[in-house]
Protein backbone atom coordinates (compact mmCIF):
# COMPACT_ATOMS: atom_id res chain seq x y z
CA UNK A 1 0.00 0.00 0.00
CA UNK A 2 2.88 2.36 0.74
CA UNK A 3 4.36 1.76 -2.74
CA UNK A 4 0.93 2.22 -4.33
CA UNK A 5 0.37 5.53 -2.53
CA UNK A 6 3.82 6.68 -3.55
CA UNK A 7 3.13 5.80 -7.19
CA UNK A 8 -0.20 7.64 -7.13
CA UNK A 9 1.43 10.75 -5.69
CA UNK A 10 4.18 10.60 -8.31
CA UNK A 11 1.63 10.20 -11.10
CA UNK A 12 -0.44 13.11 -9.76
CA UNK A 13 2.66 15.36 -9.66
CA UNK A 14 3.61 14.43 -13.23
CA UNK A 15 0.05 15.09 -14.45
CA UNK A 16 -0.02 18.45 -12.67
CA UNK A 17 3.28 19.41 -14.34
CA UNK A 18 1.82 18.67 -17.79
CA UNK A 19 -1.79 19.90 -17.73
CA UNK A 20 -2.09 20.06 -21.53
CA UNK A 21 -0.97 16.45 -21.95
CA UNK A 22 -3.24 15.33 -19.10
CA UNK A 23 -6.26 17.11 -20.59
CA UNK A 24 -5.74 15.72 -24.09
CA UNK A 25 -5.17 12.15 -22.86
CA UNK A 26 -8.12 12.31 -20.45
CA UNK A 27 -10.54 13.69 -23.04
CA UNK A 28 -9.40 11.14 -25.63
CA UNK A 29 -10.01 8.22 -23.26
CA UNK A 30 -13.28 9.73 -22.03
CA UNK A 31 -14.58 9.94 -25.59
CA UNK A 32 -13.72 6.32 -26.40
CA UNK A 33 -14.89 4.84 -23.09
CA UNK A 34 -18.05 6.98 -22.91
CA UNK A 35 -19.23 6.11 -26.42
CA UNK A 36 -18.50 2.40 -25.97
CA UNK A 37 -20.25 2.24 -22.59
CA UNK A 38 -23.34 4.05 -23.90
CA UNK A 39 -23.78 1.81 -26.94
CA UNK A 40 -23.07 -1.35 -24.95
CA UNK A 41 -25.78 -0.36 -22.47
CA UNK A 42 -28.25 -0.11 -25.36
CA UNK A 43 -27.14 -3.45 -26.83
CA UNK A 44 -27.33 -5.12 -23.42
CA UNK A 45 -30.84 -3.81 -22.77
CA UNK A 46 -32.18 -4.78 -26.19
CA UNK A 47 -30.22 -7.80 -27.40
CA UNK A 48 -28.65 -9.49 -24.38
CA UNK A 49 -31.32 -9.13 -21.69
CA UNK A 50 -33.76 -12.07 -21.82
CA UNK A 51 -37.44 -11.51 -22.47
CA UNK A 52 -39.40 -11.49 -19.21
CA UNK A 53 -41.75 -14.26 -20.33
CA UNK A 54 -42.03 -17.95 -19.53
CA UNK A 55 -39.97 -20.01 -22.00
CA UNK A 56 -39.55 -17.09 -24.42
CA UNK A 57 -37.89 -19.36 -27.00
CA UNK A 58 -41.30 -20.96 -27.62
CA UNK A 59 -43.07 -17.68 -28.33
CA UNK A 60 -43.65 -16.76 -31.96
CA UNK A 61 -45.18 -13.95 -33.93
CA UNK A 62 -47.65 -15.36 -36.42
CA UNK A 63 -47.37 -13.96 -39.93
CA UNK A 64 -45.41 -10.99 -38.52
CA UNK A 65 -45.98 -8.51 -41.35
CA UNK A 66 -49.71 -9.16 -41.69
CA UNK A 67 -52.61 -7.47 -39.85
CA UNK A 68 -55.74 -9.48 -39.04
CA UNK A 69 -59.37 -8.95 -38.11
CA UNK A 70 -61.12 -10.43 -35.07
CA UNK A 71 -63.01 -12.90 -37.25
CA UNK A 72 -59.70 -14.25 -38.60
CA UNK A 73 -58.47 -14.71 -35.03
CA UNK A 74 -61.37 -17.06 -34.31
CA UNK A 75 -60.87 -18.91 -37.59
CA UNK A 76 -57.16 -19.44 -37.06
CA UNK A 77 -57.65 -20.53 -33.44
CA UNK A 78 -59.59 -23.54 -34.69
CA UNK A 79 -56.92 -24.53 -37.23
CA UNK A 80 -53.64 -24.34 -35.29
CA UNK A 81 -53.55 -27.28 -32.82
CA UNK A 82 -49.75 -27.27 -33.09
CA UNK A 83 -49.80 -24.03 -31.05
CA UNK A 84 -50.63 -24.09 -27.35
CA UNK A 85 -52.58 -20.92 -27.91
CA UNK A 86 -53.12 -17.99 -30.26
CA UNK A 87 -53.56 -14.49 -28.94
CA UNK A 88 -53.89 -11.06 -30.54
CA UNK A 89 -53.04 -7.48 -29.67
CA UNK A 90 -53.30 -4.01 -31.14
CA UNK A 91 -51.02 -1.08 -30.30
CA UNK A 92 -53.06 1.96 -29.25
CA UNK A 93 -53.01 5.36 -27.57
CA UNK A 94 -55.23 6.10 -24.57
CA UNK A 95 -56.22 9.12 -22.50
CA UNK A 96 -55.88 8.05 -18.87
CA UNK A 97 -57.08 9.63 -15.64
CA UNK A 98 -58.47 8.52 -12.33
CA UNK A 99 -62.16 8.95 -11.65
CA UNK A 100 -62.75 12.62 -10.92
CA UNK A 101 -59.14 13.64 -11.61
CA UNK A 102 -58.52 16.76 -13.68
CA UNK A 103 -55.07 15.84 -15.00
CA UNK A 104 -55.48 13.26 -17.79
CA UNK A 105 -52.44 12.11 -19.73
CA UNK A 106 -51.83 10.41 -23.05
CA UNK A 107 -50.44 6.90 -22.70
CA UNK A 108 -49.59 4.07 -25.05
CA UNK A 109 -50.99 0.65 -24.36
CA UNK A 110 -52.60 -2.31 -26.07
CA UNK A 111 -56.00 -3.81 -26.70
CA UNK A 112 -55.57 -7.57 -26.33
CA UNK A 113 -57.45 -10.86 -26.39
CA UNK A 114 -58.33 -12.36 -23.03
CA UNK A 115 -55.54 -15.02 -23.19
CA UNK A 116 -52.76 -12.56 -24.08
CA UNK A 117 -50.94 -12.82 -20.73
CA UNK A 118 -51.54 -16.58 -20.54
CA UNK A 119 -49.77 -17.06 -23.88
CA UNK A 120 -46.83 -14.95 -22.69
CA UNK A 121 -46.65 -16.85 -19.42
CA UNK A 122 -46.92 -13.61 -17.45
CA UNK A 123 -49.28 -12.80 -14.62
CA UNK A 124 -50.15 -9.65 -12.64
CA UNK A 125 -48.40 -9.20 -9.30
CA UNK A 126 -51.66 -7.82 -7.94
CA UNK A 127 -55.12 -8.94 -8.95
CA UNK A 128 -55.99 -11.09 -11.94
CA UNK A 129 -55.52 -11.27 -15.66
CA UNK A 130 -58.27 -11.12 -18.25
CA UNK A 131 -60.95 -13.82 -18.50
CA UNK A 132 -62.93 -15.19 -21.48
CA UNK A 133 -66.06 -13.28 -20.49
CA UNK A 134 -64.13 -10.02 -20.81
CA UNK A 135 -64.35 -10.47 -24.60
CA UNK A 136 -68.15 -10.65 -24.55
CA UNK A 137 -70.01 -7.50 -25.67
CA UNK A 138 -71.18 -5.49 -22.70
CA UNK A 139 -68.57 -6.99 -20.38
CA UNK A 140 -64.87 -6.53 -19.85
CA UNK A 141 -64.76 -2.86 -18.88
CA UNK A 142 -61.52 -3.56 -17.03
CA UNK A 143 -57.87 -2.53 -17.28
CA UNK A 144 -54.48 -3.83 -16.18
CA UNK A 145 -51.74 -1.32 -15.30
CA UNK A 146 -47.98 -1.64 -15.41
CA UNK A 147 -45.93 -1.14 -12.23
CA UNK A 148 -44.66 2.29 -13.29
CA UNK A 149 -48.11 3.74 -13.90
CA UNK A 150 -49.42 2.21 -10.67
CA UNK A 151 -46.56 3.72 -8.65
CA UNK A 152 -46.76 7.13 -10.32
CA UNK A 153 -50.51 7.68 -10.30
CA UNK A 154 -51.55 5.65 -7.25
CA UNK A 155 -48.41 5.74 -5.09
CA UNK A 156 -48.14 1.94 -5.12
CA UNK A 157 -51.40 1.63 -3.19
CA UNK A 158 -52.36 -2.09 -3.01
CA UNK A 159 -56.01 -1.02 -2.70
CA UNK A 160 -55.97 0.15 -6.31
CA UNK A 161 -57.80 -3.03 -7.30
CA UNK A 162 -61.44 -2.25 -7.90
CA UNK A 163 -60.87 1.46 -8.44
CA UNK A 164 -62.48 3.09 -11.44
CA UNK A 165 -60.30 4.95 -13.94
CA UNK A 166 -61.09 6.72 -17.15
CA UNK A 167 -59.43 5.10 -20.16
CA UNK A 168 -60.30 7.21 -23.17
CA UNK A 169 -60.49 5.10 -26.32
CA UNK A 170 -63.26 4.53 -28.81
CA UNK A 171 -65.43 3.37 -25.91
CA UNK A 172 -64.48 6.38 -23.81
CA UNK A 173 -65.72 4.85 -20.56
CA UNK A 174 -64.74 4.14 -17.00
CA UNK A 175 -62.92 0.88 -16.42
CA UNK A 176 -62.18 -1.08 -13.27
CA UNK A 177 -58.57 -1.83 -12.35
CA UNK A 178 -58.28 -5.61 -11.98
CA UNK A 179 -54.52 -6.12 -12.06
CA UNK A 180 -51.04 -4.61 -11.81
CA UNK A 181 -48.08 -6.17 -13.60
CA UNK A 182 -44.95 -6.96 -11.53
CA UNK A 183 -42.00 -4.64 -11.17
CA UNK A 184 -39.47 -5.20 -13.92
CA UNK A 185 -42.00 -6.67 -16.34
CA UNK A 186 -41.05 -5.78 -19.91
CA UNK A 187 -43.95 -5.71 -22.33
CA UNK A 188 -43.66 -6.35 -26.05
CA UNK A 189 -43.13 -2.60 -26.43
CA UNK A 190 -41.51 -0.54 -23.70
CA UNK A 191 -43.96 2.31 -24.32
CA UNK A 192 -46.98 0.28 -23.15
CA UNK A 193 -48.34 1.20 -19.73
CA UNK A 194 -51.79 -0.40 -19.70
CA UNK A 195 -53.82 -3.17 -21.31
CA UNK A 196 -57.54 -3.51 -21.99
CA UNK A 197 -59.42 -6.53 -23.41
CA UNK A 198 -61.03 -6.14 -26.80
CA UNK A 199 -64.51 -7.50 -27.38
CA UNK A 200 -65.63 -9.83 -30.15
CA UNK A 201 -69.10 -9.09 -31.50
CA UNK A 202 -69.88 -10.98 -34.74
CA UNK A 203 -72.87 -8.70 -35.34
CA UNK A 204 -70.62 -5.64 -35.57
CA UNK A 205 -69.35 -6.22 -39.10
CA UNK A 206 -66.94 -3.22 -39.37
CA UNK A 207 -65.20 -4.23 -36.15
CA UNK A 208 -65.47 -7.99 -36.60
CA UNK A 209 -64.48 -8.40 -40.26
CA UNK A 210 -63.89 -4.97 -41.71
CA UNK A 211 -60.95 -3.83 -39.57
CA UNK A 212 -57.61 -5.61 -39.83
CA UNK A 213 -55.45 -4.12 -37.07
CA UNK A 214 -54.47 -7.11 -34.93
CA UNK A 215 -51.10 -8.82 -34.60
CA UNK A 216 -51.05 -12.50 -33.71
CA UNK A 217 -48.91 -14.06 -31.01
CA UNK A 218 -48.59 -17.80 -30.37
CA UNK A 219 -46.77 -20.31 -28.23
CA UNK A 220 -45.38 -23.47 -29.79
CA UNK A 221 -46.58 -26.55 -27.95
CA UNK A 222 -45.12 -29.95 -27.14
CA UNK A 223 -42.14 -31.08 -29.19
CA UNK A 224 -43.04 -28.91 -32.19
CA UNK A 225 -40.13 -26.89 -33.58
CA UNK A 226 -40.29 -23.39 -35.03
CA UNK A 227 -39.59 -24.82 -38.49
CA UNK A 228 -42.45 -27.33 -38.22
CA UNK A 229 -44.88 -24.73 -36.89
CA UNK A 230 -43.85 -22.37 -39.69
CA UNK A 231 -44.56 -24.95 -42.39
CA UNK A 232 -47.88 -26.04 -40.87
CA UNK A 233 -49.11 -22.50 -40.39
CA UNK A 234 -48.21 -21.73 -44.00
CA UNK A 235 -50.55 -24.52 -45.12
CA UNK A 236 -53.36 -23.27 -42.86
CA UNK A 237 -52.95 -19.70 -44.09
CA UNK A 238 -53.13 -20.74 -47.74
CA UNK A 239 -56.38 -22.57 -47.06
CA UNK A 240 -58.08 -19.89 -44.95
CA UNK A 241 -57.04 -16.81 -46.94
CA UNK A 242 -57.13 -18.19 -50.47
CA UNK A 243 -60.26 -16.21 -51.39
CA UNK A 244 -59.32 -12.95 -49.62
CA UNK A 245 -58.56 -10.36 -52.27
CA UNK A 246 -56.93 -7.84 -49.91
CA UNK A 247 -54.08 -10.27 -49.25
CA UNK A 248 -51.69 -10.39 -52.21
CA UNK A 249 -49.95 -13.52 -53.46
CA UNK A 250 -46.64 -12.15 -52.16
CA UNK A 251 -48.10 -11.62 -48.68
CA UNK A 252 -49.72 -15.05 -48.73
CA UNK A 253 -46.41 -16.66 -49.68
CA UNK A 254 -44.80 -15.07 -46.61
CA UNK A 255 -47.29 -16.68 -44.20
CA UNK A 256 -45.59 -18.45 -41.32
CA UNK A 257 -44.30 -17.98 -37.79
CA UNK A 258 -41.16 -16.27 -36.53
CA UNK A 259 -39.47 -16.38 -33.12
CA UNK A 260 -40.75 -13.48 -31.06
CA UNK A 261 -37.33 -11.93 -30.41
CA UNK A 262 -36.49 -11.89 -34.13
CA UNK A 263 -39.89 -10.45 -34.97
CA UNK A 264 -39.55 -7.65 -32.41
CA UNK A 265 -35.98 -6.70 -33.32
CA UNK A 266 -36.08 -7.16 -37.09
CA UNK A 267 -32.85 -5.81 -38.57
CA UNK A 268 -32.24 -3.63 -35.51
CA UNK A 269 -29.98 -6.30 -34.00
CA UNK A 270 -27.58 -6.19 -36.95
CA UNK A 271 -27.51 -2.39 -36.89
CA UNK A 272 -26.80 -2.33 -33.16
CA UNK A 273 -23.96 -4.85 -33.51
CA UNK A 274 -22.44 -2.79 -36.33
CA UNK A 275 -22.75 0.31 -34.16
CA UNK A 276 -21.13 -1.49 -31.22
CA UNK A 277 -18.26 -2.57 -33.44
CA UNK A 278 -17.84 1.00 -34.67
CA UNK A 279 -17.59 2.50 -31.19
CA UNK A 280 -15.22 -0.33 -30.28
CA UNK A 281 -12.93 0.93 -33.06
CA UNK A 282 -13.29 4.45 -31.65
CA UNK A 283 -12.08 3.15 -28.28
CA UNK A 284 -9.18 1.36 -29.97
CA UNK A 285 -8.16 4.55 -31.79
CA UNK A 286 -8.38 6.49 -28.53
CA UNK A 287 -6.03 4.01 -26.86
CA UNK A 288 -3.60 4.19 -29.78
CA UNK A 289 -3.61 7.99 -29.65
CA UNK A 290 -2.90 8.01 -25.92
CA UNK A 291 -0.13 5.45 -26.43
CA UNK A 292 1.46 7.66 -29.09
CA UNK A 293 1.24 10.66 -26.74
CA UNK A 294 2.99 8.66 -24.02
CA UNK A 295 5.70 7.50 -26.42
CA UNK A 296 6.30 11.07 -27.63
CA UNK A 297 6.39 12.38 -24.08
CA UNK A 298 8.72 9.57 -22.99
CA UNK A 299 11.07 10.25 -25.87
CA UNK A 300 11.06 13.94 -25.01
Amino acid sequence: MADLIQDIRYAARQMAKNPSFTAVAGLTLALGIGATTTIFSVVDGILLSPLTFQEPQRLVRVWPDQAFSKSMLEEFRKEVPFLDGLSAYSHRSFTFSGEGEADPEELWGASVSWDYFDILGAAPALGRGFMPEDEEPGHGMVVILDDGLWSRRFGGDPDVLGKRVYVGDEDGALRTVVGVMPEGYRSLHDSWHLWVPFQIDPTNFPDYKGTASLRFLGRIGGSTTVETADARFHEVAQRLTGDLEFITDEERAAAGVQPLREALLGDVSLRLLILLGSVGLVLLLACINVANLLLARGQG
Side-chain angles (χ1 to χ4, degrees):
M1 288 301 298
D3 291 340
L4 176 61
I5 293 174
Q6 183 179 357
D7 290 341
I8 292 175
R9 288 175 177 173
Y10 176 75
R13 288 196 300 270
Q14 295 300 313
M15 292 169 64
K17 289 181 181 179
N18 299 274
S20 298
F21 170 82
T22 301
V24 172
L27 289 175
T28 302
L29 288 175
L31 174 63
I33 295 173
T36 304
T37 302
T38 301
I39 298 302
F40 178 78
S41 298
V42 175
V43 171
D44 178 59
I46 296 177
L47 297 182
L48 303 182
S49 298
L51 298 175
T52 56
F53 310 127
Q54 182 182 5
E55 295 184 295
Q57 73 278 4
R58 306 197 69 81
L59 291 172
V60 294
R61 270 274 297 272
V62 177
W63 209 338
D65 297 324
Q66 189 65 39
F68 301 92
S69 65
K70 293 177 181 178
S71 64
M72 294 180 71
L73 171 63
E74 294 192 311
E75 292 177 11
F76 275 111
R77 275 176 170 171
K78 301 174 184 176
E79 300 291 337
V80 289
F82 49 89
L83 296 178
D84 276 350
L86 185 64
S87 179
Y89 64 91
S90 178
H91 183 66
R92 291 171 51 191
S93 174
F94 299 92
T95 300
F96 178 88
S97 67
E99 187 175 12
E101 291 184 8
D103 54 343
E105 60 178 311
E106 292 294 323
L107 295 173
W108 283 102
S111 177
V112 302
S113 58
W114 73 268
D115 55 355
Y116 172 79
F117 290 109
D118 294 336
I119 299 297
L120 290 177
L126 286 178
R128 65 168 177 87
F130 298 133
M131 298 187 296
E133 52 266 31
D134 291 330
E135 284 188 358
E136 298 175 3
H139 298 79
M141 299 307 294
V142 295
V143 62
I144 292 177
L145 313 177
D146 79 338
D147 178 78
L149 179 60
W150 172 56
S151 300
R152 178 163 51 84
R153 294 300 294 258
F154 300 97
D157 182 7
D159 293 330
V160 69
L161 300 179
K163 286 190 175 181
R164 304 274 282 172
V165 295
Y166 181 86
V167 181
D169 52 11
E170 68 266 16
D171 300 317
L174 288 170
R175 292 180 179 269
T176 302
V177 178
V178 295
V180 177
M181 296 307 292
E183 182 179 2
Y185 170 76
R186 291 181 60 188
S187 61
L188 294 185
H189 297 274
D190 291 337
S191 60
W192 292 358
H193 297 289
L194 58 87
W195 297 263
V196 300
F198 59 63
Q199 297 181 347
I200 298 180
D201 183 3
T203 64
N204 185 350
F205 181 85
D207 181 62
Y208 186 62
K209 284 190 175 182
T211 304
S213 61
L214 301 179
R215 301 291 177 179
F216 283 1
L217 178 73
R219 177 177 288 276
I220 298 175
S223 58
T224 306
T225 63
V226 174
E227 293 74 17
T228 301
D230 182 69
R232 295 182 66 179
F233 182 84
H234 183 80
E235 297 175 0
V236 172
Q238 303 305 306
R239 185 172 69 256
L240 293 183
T241 65
D243 58 345
L244 298 180
E245 296 181 356
F246 68 88
I247 298 181
T248 65
D249 292 338
E250 291 77 11
E251 291 173 334
R252 196 172 287 109
V257 304
Q258 184 180 19
L260 179 60
R261 179 180 285 275
E262 293 181 15
L264 292 177
L265 295 179
D267 59 353
V268 173
S269 56
L270 178 60
R271 296 180 183 180
L272 286 176
L273 291 175
I274 292 174
L275 187 58
L276 181 61
S278 300
V279 296
L281 291 177
V282 172
L283 177 59
L284 176 61
L285 291 175
C287 293
I288 293 174
N289 287 335
V290 173
N292 287 332
L293 287 174
L294 289 169
L295 286 173
R297 181 170 173 274
Q299 186 178 16

